[in-house]
Amino acid sequence: MRKKLIKDTSTKNYYEDRFYVPLESKKIDVNETIFKDDLASLDDMKIIKSYVEYDQMVVFIEKNDNLKALEKLRDYGYEILTEISGVDFIEKKGGIEVFYQLLSIKHKRRARVKCFVKQGEFLQSVTALYKSADWAERELYDMFGVWIEGHSKLKRILMPDDWYGYPLLKSYPLQGDEHAKWYEVDKIFGREYRDEIGEENRDSAKVDSKDTFNFSRLYHEAEYGAKPPKEPYLQEYQEEGGVPLVKKVKRDKFKILKKRR
Amino acid sequence: MALHKVDYAKENGLPIVLTTVDKLIQWGRSNSLWAVSYGLACCAIEMMATGAGRFDFDRFGTIFRASAKHAEVMIVAGTLTKKHAEFTRRIYDSMPEPKWVISMGSCANTGGMFNTYSTVQGVDRIIPVDIYLPGCAPRPETLQYALMILQKKIRKEIPRRKQKAKRLV
């Protein structure tokens, strides 16, 4: 547990936390709470760690016990598997922490079962127990690269099938890697058109004063390639004299309605 | 009345209008712009509002078509993801010439707030765009204005000629 931050950081040394670090959540022993029976239903299984946090039970189990543990919890009364996802701990522990978020309508409570999958290891599919695991496991594979054993159709779900890399890993750059950068160009036009189309503009504040195409010249608009007019002008809806059979609209002849019609 | 004294150019004279074939075709094209209904995200709601009663695209002759093969305007309304880009290009290619594109909203113009790995940074990387419509999301009258400016642009074109190959980006 980190100690609470003192607001005045100017008197502090530079190597201590300069920004607000939230306190760790309170963790209660399971046997003092209503989750006592829920944990007892996992009777003979190896439980690495368990606590109650924000009124939800969290149980850490071995990776290969996930089917057994979920079956026991399902039979106890956790009918719904809300979500499966992961947390990237590759840098710290060399693997991904997969969690199963469970909901019990019968007991009106939620629980989370966690297991640790090392890189290159397989995880057993739980689609036999919960139907919702089908897509959730596909998402886990898509976003974290966790391979699921026994899944009927393991393929990507959010990203295209030929996508390279796993976007929810901490090592994946937000604006994409080299493959993501050229994905649509390679797919539609082919690699040889990369130079022609050019790189993506990732700088949202970029203003190129020499760019006469993408830079809007307010009140001096001209079509691409045409010389911008010297005199400022207001863009009209129609040409001079209007359009046959179409109502004439002029900017200076507007009408303000007294009330909504 | 002797024939040489008739002023045909006067509007309130004889029921005759003089025009060129070019102008007639341009006028016809610009006032029957059928749009392919291509809403991708929240901007699509604004596009629907523009098509609905208050703003009423129908009075501009713009009718949303569910088939790209009947349409000549593509209003890209919403965020274009890289997964979807391929299909956007395919729909654009299946539209008959001449065709025009309105890129609606920040996401379609530049990728908008989604400066991420999965969003195409502007549809002009995929298809040539005629009119960029800023806003997030643009109000219906803005889309209406964009359509009117597009009509004005079409009236300036020369219909006899094949459409010039548009510049991509």
Side-chain angles (χ1 to χ4, degrees):
Chain A
M1 179 103 68
R2 301 169 102 149
K3 63 175 190 291
K4 205 163 182 188
L5 181 87
I6 297 163
K7 279 278 184 295
D8 183 17
T9 53
S10 58
T11 57
K12 307 277 293 172
N13 286 327
Y14 69 93
Y15 50 80
E16 293 191 0
D17 286 332
R18 294 184 51 213
F19 306 104
Y20 174 68
V21 179
L23 295 171
E24 265 197 39
S25 59
K26 208 169 140 203
K27 293 175 175 58
I28 310 162
D29 183 31
V30 179
N31 291 318
E32 298 167 10
T33 61
I34 49 169
F35 287 105
K36 201 165 65 185
D37 302 341
D38 308 35
L39 194 66
S41 69
L42 295 170
D43 40 30
D44 58 340
M45 293 192 45
K46 191 192 168 194
I47 291 162
I48 298 166
K49 200 163 55 166
S50 67
Y51 50 80
V52 174
E53 166 188 39
Y54 297 125
D55 300 338
Q56 291 182 22
M57 178 174 71
V58 183
V59 181
F60 288 80
I61 53 160
E62 287 289 337
K63 173 181 76 80
N64 298 327
D65 290 345
N66 65 343
L67 256 170
K68 224 181 346 173
L70 285 175
E71 190 166 17
K72 281 179 174 162
L73 283 171
R74 191 193 65 178
D75 295 337
Y76 176 75
Y78 284 96
E79 308 99 335
I80 298 172
L81 174 72
T82 327
E83 189 180 3
I84 306 174
S85 196
V87 187
D88 179 359
F89 282 118
I90 289 174
E91 197 62 37
K92 279 184 186 170
K93 306 178 205 166
I96 283 153
E97 198 172 70
V98 176
F99 66 84
Y100 299 88
Q101 180 77 16
L102 300 166
L103 166 65
S104 170
I105 305 282
K106 193 170 151 191
H107 304 297
K108 304 189 183 66
R109 51 185 88 149
R110 291 173 193 269
R112 192 156 51 246
V113 177
K114 286 196 168 191
C115 59
F116 189 73
V117 184
K118 283 203 176 71
Q119 280 209 292
E121 283 185 354
F122 277 74
L123 185 69
Q124 202 59 41
S125 172
V126 296
T127 40
L129 298 172
Y130 296 103
K131 273 274 176 288
S132 70
D134 191 334
W135 277 19
E137 277 168 355
R138 274 177 64 183
E139 191 190 342
L140 184 66
Y141 159 70
D142 187 0
M143 290 288 148
F144 292 95
V146 177
W147 282 78
I148 313 286
E149 208 174 6
H151 192 283
S152 58
K153 192 178 182 182
L154 189 68
K155 62 170 208 161
R156 287 184 181 268
I157 184 166
L158 292 170
M159 298 321 276
D161 291 345
D162 55 352
W163 190 264
Y164 175 83
Y166 303 107
L168 234 48
L169 295 180
K170 289 207 193 300
S171 56
Y172 195 89
L174 173 69
Q175 295 175 355
D177 52 12
E178 194 64 22
H179 172 274
K181 199 174 177 177
W182 298 106
Y183 177 82
E184 77 272 21
V185 175
D186 288 0
K187 185 121 188 179
I188 296 167
F189 304 107
R191 265 185 91 103
E192 59 274 19
Y193 282 87
R194 282 186 183 190
D195 299 342
E196 204 157 316
I197 287 164
E199 294 215 349
E200 292 170 327
N201 175 20
R202 291 290 185 176
D203 180 10
S204 54
K206 187 182 169 196
V207 174
D208 185 358
S209 58
K210 292 192 171 55
D211 184 357
T212 54
F213 177 65
N214 291 314
F215 191 70
S216 81
R217 297 174 293 252
L218 282 182
Y219 305 116
H220 295 267
E221 294 108 340
E223 288 191 3
Y224 173 67
K227 263 183 85 109
K230 287 231 162 32
E231 292 296 313
Y233 76 104
L234 258 181
Q235 183 88 260
E236 282 286 356
Y237 300 105
Q238 293 170 349
E239 305 87 321
E240 283 296 312
V243 186
L245 304 185
V246 175
K247 189 174 168 141
K248 308 224 175 338
V249 272
K250 281 271 178 222
R251 271 180 181 277
D252 50 358
K253 289 209 174 97
F254 60 84
K255 181 178 165 186
I256 296 174
L257 296 179
K258 291 268 189 305
K259 67 172 182 25
R260 220 172 190 191
R261 284 193 291 193
Chain B
M1 192 189 277
L3 199 65
H4 63 273
K5 287 189 179 175
V6 177
D7 186 4
Y8 288 108
K10 260 194 184 164
E11 267 182 74
N12 51 3
L14 289 167
I16 289 173
V17 178
L18 294 180
T19 182
T20 61
V21 176
D22 276 10
K23 274 201 172 144
L24 186 69
I25 291 169
Q26 285 162 2
W27 172 83
R29 266 185 193 169
S30 68
N31 289 307
S32 66
L33 285 174
W34 286 2
V36 52
S37 47
Y38 197 56
L40 294 173
C42 15
C43 277
I45 304 289
E46 301 298 315
M47 193 169 72
M48 290 172 212
T50 324
R54 177 167 297 185
F55 298 94
D56 205 3
F57 255 173
D58 286 13
R59 65 204 168 103
F60 294 93
T62 296
I63 302 164
F64 286 113
R65 298 296 312 214
S67 161
K69 292 178 178 82
H70 303 165
E72 52 245 300
V73 183
M74 187 182 202
I75 303 173
V76 184
T79 321
L80 183 67
T81 56
K82 292 195 179 184
K83 191 178 182 177
H84 196 97
E86 182 197 348
F87 313 122
T88 303
R89 181 71 209 190
R90 202 180 297 167
I91 288 169
Y92 177 79
D93 284 343
S94 67
M95 282 160 67
E97 291 269 349
K99 51 192 170 187
W100 298 274
V101 177
I102 297 177
S103 155
M104 179 179 176
S106 295
C107 291
N109 292 341
T110 64
M113 68 170 119
F114 300 108
N115 196 351
T116 59
Y117 61 92
S118 59
T119 309
V120 177
Q121 301 296 302
V123 290
D124 51 8
R125 289 179 65 78
I126 312 291
I127 51 178
V129 174
D130 286 286
I131 291 195
Y132 296 87
L133 210 174
C136 174
R139 282 189 53 89
E141 50 263 51
T142 328
L143 179 57
Q144 203 171 283
Y145 177 57
L147 188 88
M148 287 162 98
I149 296 296
L150 180 66
Q151 286 182 334
K152 192 173 154 187
K153 181 180 168 155
I154 291 167
R155 280 189 230 109
K156 278 190 214 152
E157 287 179 359
I158 300 165
R160 278 174 292 131
R161 284 198 202 135
K162 196 169 170 291
Q163 241 184 337
K164 255 202 299 224
K166 289 205 187 99
R167 180 175 177 275
L168 193 64
V169 185

